[in-house]
Amino acid sequence: MAAATVAPRFVFGFRPDVADNVAYTDEGAIVYAAGHNVVIYSLDTRQQKLIPGALESEGITALCVSANKKLLAVAERSEKAMVTVYDLQTLKRRKVLVAADSKEYTSLAFSADGKMLLAQGGAPEWNLVLWVWEKSKVAASIKTTNQQSSPLHNCAMSTGEGSLVSVVGHNIFKVFKYSDGAMKALNPALGKRDPGSITCQLWVLGDVSDPKERLLLGTMDGEVLMLENGTDARAVFNCDNGLAVHSLAAYSKGFVAGQEGGVVTIFEKDDKELYRRARAFSIESNPVKVRYMAISPNEEHLVCSLENGQAYTLLLSNSEIMKADEMNFDVMGTSNHQGPVTGMDICVRKPLLVTCSTDKSIRFWNYVDRTCELTKWFPDEIFSVAIHPTGLQDLKTMKELGIKGCRECCFSTGGHYFAAVNGTTVSIYNTYTCENVGNLRGHNGKVRSLCWSPDDTRLISAGMDGAVYEWRLKDFKRDKENVLKGCNYSSVLATPDCKTLYATGSDRKIKEFEEAPGAGTQITREIDAGVNLTQLTLLPGAKVMMAATEAGGLRTYKYPLTGEFTEIKGAITRMRMSWDEQLLATASDDGSISVYDVRERDAKAAARREQERLDWAAEVLVTRSELDEKKTRTAELEQQVAELTMQTEYQLRLKDLHLQERVKELTEKFSAELEADRQKFELLLTEKNEQEM
């Protein structure tokens, strides 16, 4: 067994391509998919519970939570599509349902009582399957379409005691009734409307006085149609903006429609018209399609996921007093990448990850606070990124270097140099002057991977020409080499003493290189991985090697290499290890970043490493102009405080004088009145005595 294991800690990201990808599991927790995991996220504590996908699956395709919030169904793409039902209280697996005729399920839906599970199969069969999931029994199945180019993306079941089932897809809308182990197609009345205009659906149940089951249908024209019992047209509700409706969510006061342009329109119940349009809000900072929505059990919050992988929350209970022209939405968790991650690096002195993506942004992630600290957008796509070991980032352009399509860059161990790949050449620059101090030429193909030695005297490079070179930095000459034609290397690394090198490439093998007589290196060992490996990283202290597979797996190899490994799933494009070997970070082509704890089996060694670890640096980097501006602003504010204090004291003194004068006037007035009353009393007393005599 390996001397260390990896355990998922949390995930930054959100998968927009999963059907019904957001739902509430209880009042303060939301379930969604990120990478190859299902995440249960606490909105209050930012804590995550992770349910990893099956190792044999190719990805998560759909989610569904039962009405009582006790069950979670997860559909995964595989050679035979599988649906796993979990208990949301214990997160234990209750049942695995395997399809015999499909590679994926495109949508899931629980029955109202949670005993049955509806699943819409994918191409080529497009079978709609109704499971009695606890018995792994298929209650009914029907082929919903014969058109291979018309994907079905949503299925739903009625919420009452009825057995109505509906499916929506590209140019397809159908309603079925389940009875006696079969599904019978019904003929819904849509009038003159084309079924191809329907984009989403939602079953709602009427009140006690009108218990009919109603089906709401969103359309491309910004309308919501209502059918009673799944067939009879009852009403049409207009969103008044012409934007296509792509998602619907119901609550006790009415329903909510999610539209194009980040618009959310709220409809409330009405005695005359059943529902009326109440108000609409828009996500101004992210005006893209609202793909899915969910409402919290106490109906206070609405969460909506967008087409680009972002998620926002709206305080639904305060919607009546909100202004429509203001930004009323809050980002759920963190702002995520909207495309594949192309570069990643990890800081030494701060708990920071930096990533870049095809969405033209660079983001700094704090993996202790679990937040996105900084985001900066650029006009062009970014291919690679590196962070200085100190972590002092300002994200202001210091100098632009003329390198097009730089796919790999990295700082030296000490941070005083950085290397950037320029096609087949590796250019070395001084970090503090940005001066080009040397160029390493010799590769005949594009350089794909770089690795610095711990003392920064050597640099190892590997390229698509099958060459692994070791360079001396004192004279920028090639010291050792090994060339294997026909192998495109994707990753290279070295042991701390640089006596042994490891590389992996297109031949699906991990190669071990050691110094050979002369100026070369020779392959001393080869481990057949069986799949293409894209990234390697080594933990000398923990005696393991991490490898990312092209198929989306993270492997932990026992070191020294024997070929023995364990694997977990996750589509990985980049991989980095923290300097203390306690944390592993991976980035995926879906824009998610996964963070793993590296757990040593040797408890004493782990305790020693934790004791030796330095505290995180608290310093931050600011420019002189920003510091001067802050000092000037501070002085101005202090002056304003002093002036306000003097003015306030002066006003208080004036008020005191005025009050003293007023008190004096009132005292004299009341004293005079008192004296007059006393004299009057004495006069009356004298008259009384005279009258008595």
Side-chain angles (χ1 to χ4, degrees):
M1 297 296 291
T5 58
V6 292
R9 183 192 291 187
F10 59 90
V11 180
F12 294 117
F14 193 99
R15 288 196 59 173
D17 58 343
V18 175
D20 296 314
N21 59 9
V22 62
Y24 275 91
T25 60
D26 57 39
E27 193 52 51
I30 292 174
V31 60
Y32 58 90
H36 199 69
N37 301 278
V38 175
V39 181
I40 300 176
Y41 177 75
S42 172
L43 295 171
D44 298 328
T45 65
R46 294 180 180 269
Q47 298 295 317
Q48 292 183 352
K49 297 179 182 178
L50 301 180
I51 303 176
L55 186 60
E56 62 272 19
S57 80
E58 300 174 9
I60 299 169
T61 58
L63 299 176
C64 181
V65 175
S66 62
N68 59 10
K69 310 299 182 185
K70 292 183 178 180
L71 300 171
L72 168 67
V74 181
E76 296 179 78
R77 185 183 299 109
S78 182
E79 190 64 31
K80 291 184 178 180
M82 63 178 73
V83 178
T84 308
V85 180
Y86 294 92
D87 187 317
L88 279 174
Q89 303 299 319
T90 62
L91 300 187
K92 291 184 178 179
R93 186 180 298 173
R94 291 279 301 274
K95 189 69 67 173
V96 178
L97 310 174
V98 180
D101 53 8
S102 179
K103 291 190 64 175
E104 67 174 348
Y105 285 118
T106 61
S107 180
L108 301 174
F110 275 106
S111 61
D113 58 9
K115 294 182 179 180
M116 306 188 82
L117 180 64
L118 185 69
Q120 174 60 62
E125 298 298 329
W126 299 108
N127 284 334
L128 182 67
V129 182
L130 183 62
W131 297 83
V132 181
W133 65 267
E134 287 185 303
K135 299 180 180 179
S136 300
K137 177 184 175 182
V138 176
S141 178
I142 190 171
K143 190 179 183 70
T144 49
T145 181
N146 293 318
Q147 304 176 33
Q148 298 304 309
S149 60
S150 301
L152 291 158
H153 53 72
N154 184 260
C155 65
M157 295 186 69
S158 57
T159 56
E161 296 180 358
S163 302
L164 298 175
V165 171
S166 55
V167 293
V168 171
H170 181 65
N171 294 323
I172 293 176
F173 168 64
K174 294 184 178 181
V175 180
F176 303 92
K177 183 175 180 61
Y178 169 69
S179 178
D180 298 328
M183 290 190 194
K184 180 181 178 182
L186 304 179
N187 295 316
L190 298 178
K192 297 181 180 179
R193 289 179 176 81
D194 181 9
S197 67
I198 297 174
T199 57
C200 58
Q201 60 179 335
L202 175 69
W203 284 94
V204 294
L205 190 63
D207 52 27
V208 177
S209 60
D210 188 12
K212 295 180 180 179
E213 292 181 311
R214 294 166 177 162
L215 178 60
L216 300 177
L217 302 172
T219 71
M220 293 294 294
D221 303 321
E223 295 178 330
V224 179
L225 312 181
M226 175 183 282
L227 303 183
E228 284 191 349
N229 297 323
T231 56
D232 304 325
R234 173 68 185 274
V236 179
F237 312 106
N238 202 311
C239 294
D240 294 341
N241 51 27
L243 299 174
V245 178
H246 291 284
S247 56
L248 296 166
Y251 67 123
S252 61
K253 295 181 180 180
F255 68 88
V256 183
Q259 301 177 263
E260 290 279 357
V263 176
V264 172
T265 303
I266 300 175
F267 289 83
E268 294 182 348
K269 290 184 177 179
D270 185 82
D271 294 336
K272 295 181 180 180
E273 303 176 3
L274 294 177
Y275 294 100
R276 62 174 178 83
R277 182 185 180 277
R279 61 199 68 85
F281 303 101
S282 61
I283 306 174
E284 297 177 357
S285 60
N286 214 333
V288 299
K289 182 192 300 183
V290 179
R291 196 68 189 89
Y292 299 104
M293 298 187 300
I295 296 176
S296 61
N298 66 359
E299 300 183 349
E300 287 192 359
H301 293 87
L302 167 75
V303 60
C304 51
S305 66
L306 306 187
E307 190 178 33
N308 60 6
Q310 308 298 315
Y312 291 84
T313 59
L314 174 70
L315 191 58
L316 195 61
S317 58
N318 286 353
S319 61
E320 296 180 0
I321 61 175
M322 292 177 180
K323 295 182 179 179
D325 57 349
E326 295 180 352
M327 177 61 177
N328 300 294
F329 293 84
D330 297 318
V331 176
M332 188 196 81
T334 60
S335 176
N336 307 309
H337 277 302
Q338 302 172 20
V341 176
T342 55
M344 181 173 69
D345 200 8
I346 193 167
C347 183
V348 175
R349 290 292 291 121
K350 290 188 176 182
L352 293 176
L353 288 167
V354 60
T355 57
C356 62
S357 169
T358 56
D359 63 5
K360 303 179 182 179
S361 73
I362 288 180
R363 298 172 191 262
F364 286 84
W365 312 88
N366 188 313
Y367 54 79
V368 172
D369 297 339
R370 305 185 180 188
T371 58
C372 180
E373 288 196 351
L374 186 63
T375 300
K376 186 172 179 65
W377 298 88
F378 294 85
D380 302 312
E381 187 175 327
I382 305 169
F383 300 115
S384 58
V385 68
I387 187 171
H388 195 271
T390 61
L392 298 176
Q393 81 279 359
D394 195 23
L395 279 191
K396 289 188 176 180
T397 303
M398 294 176 56
K399 188 176 181 64
E400 292 188 4
L401 307 174
I403 301 176
K404 293 184 178 180
C406 178
R407 302 272 175 179
E408 188 74 21
C409 63
C410 59
F411 280 100
S412 63
T413 307
H416 57 297
Y417 288 134
F418 68 89
V421 172
N422 188 359
T424 61
T425 303
V426 181
S427 300
I428 310 298
Y429 295 87
N430 185 298
T431 299
Y432 306 107
T433 65
C434 295
E435 177 189 0
N436 181 211
V437 297
N439 295 295
L440 310 179
R441 295 184 174 91
H443 281 282
N444 295 321
K446 291 183 178 180
V447 179
R448 294 285 302 278
S449 182
L450 299 174
C451 176
W452 287 87
S453 65
D455 58 4
D456 290 337
T457 61
R458 297 174 181 274
L459 180 70
I460 296 94
S461 63
M464 299 182 69
D465 56 353
V468 175
Y469 294 146
E470 184 176 319
W471 309 84
R472 294 192 305 266
L473 270 297
K474 64 179 181 179
D475 55 5
F476 302 103
K477 299 295 184 181
R478 194 164 61 211
D479 189 29
K480 301 173 185 176
E481 64 179 76
N482 184 279
V483 180
L484 181 64
K485 293 184 178 180
C487 180
N488 299 331
Y489 286 115
S490 58
S491 182
V492 66
L493 59 84
T495 55
D497 57 7
C498 283
K499 291 183 178 179
T500 306
L501 309 180
Y502 295 93
T504 185
S506 58
D507 60 354
R508 302 185 174 186
K509 294 179 180 179
I510 301 176
K511 296 180 178 61
E512 181 181 275
F513 303 86
E514 290 185 355
E515 186 175 354
T521 59
Q522 62 182 5
I523 300 175
T524 57
R525 184 181 306 173
E526 289 185 338
I527 301 297
D528 190 354
V531 296
N532 285 336
L533 302 179
T534 58
Q535 296 278 294
L536 293 177
T537 188
L538 182 63
L539 285 73
K543 298 182 180 180
V544 294
M545 178 183 289
M546 304 294 183
T549 71
E550 191 177 50
L554 174 61
R555 291 185 175 183
T556 304
Y557 281 92
K558 184 177 179 180
Y559 184 81
L561 292 176
T562 61
E564 179 185 351
F565 68 89
T566 58
E567 184 174 356
I568 57 178
K569 201 72 172 179
I572 298 170
T573 58
R574 292 280 179 166
M575 182 168 59
R576 291 291 184 270
M577 175 65 62
S578 64
W579 69 277
D580 58 359
E581 302 178 2
Q582 300 297 301
L583 180 139
L584 178 72
T586 63
S588 303
D589 55 7
D590 63 357
S592 64
I593 296 96
S594 301
V595 179
Y596 300 87
D597 287 315
V598 180
R599 298 175 179 174
E600 292 191 48
R601 298 185 183 276
D602 187 349
K604 292 183 179 179
R608 184 176 65 254
R609 286 177 179 274
E610 181 63 26
Q611 188 176 4
E612 293 174 353
R613 187 179 70 82
L614 297 175
D615 292 334
W616 299 116
E619 298 83 8
V620 295
L621 181 66
V622 294
T623 61
R624 173 63 63 180
S625 61
E626 289 176 334
L627 185 59
D628 292 341
E629 183 181 347
K630 182 179 179 181
K631 288 181 178 179
T632 303
R633 182 60 178 160
T634 302
E636 291 176 354
L637 292 173
E638 289 176 349
Q639 181 66 25
Q640 290 179 13
V641 170
E643 292 175 356
L644 288 172
T645 302
M646 292 177 61
Q647 186 177 357
T648 303
E649 290 176 352
Y650 177 69
Q651 294 293 335
L652 287 173
R653 284 197 298 271
L654 288 178
K655 286 184 178 180
D656 286 342
L657 291 174
H658 175 72
L659 290 174
Q660 289 175 6
E661 291 178 358
R662 182 66 176 159
V663 169
K664 184 178 179 181
E665 291 175 0
L666 292 173
T667 302
E668 292 176 351
K669 177 183 177 182
F670 290 137
S671 297
E673 291 178 354
L674 181 62
E675 181 63 25
D677 289 342
R678 187 180 64 77
Q679 291 177 1
K680 185 177 181 181
F681 174 75
E682 290 179 353
L683 181 62
L684 291 173
L685 184 61
T686 303
E687 291 179 356
K688 175 178 176 294
N689 291 335
E690 290 177 353
Q691 290 176 359
E692 287 178 350
M693 290 177 66

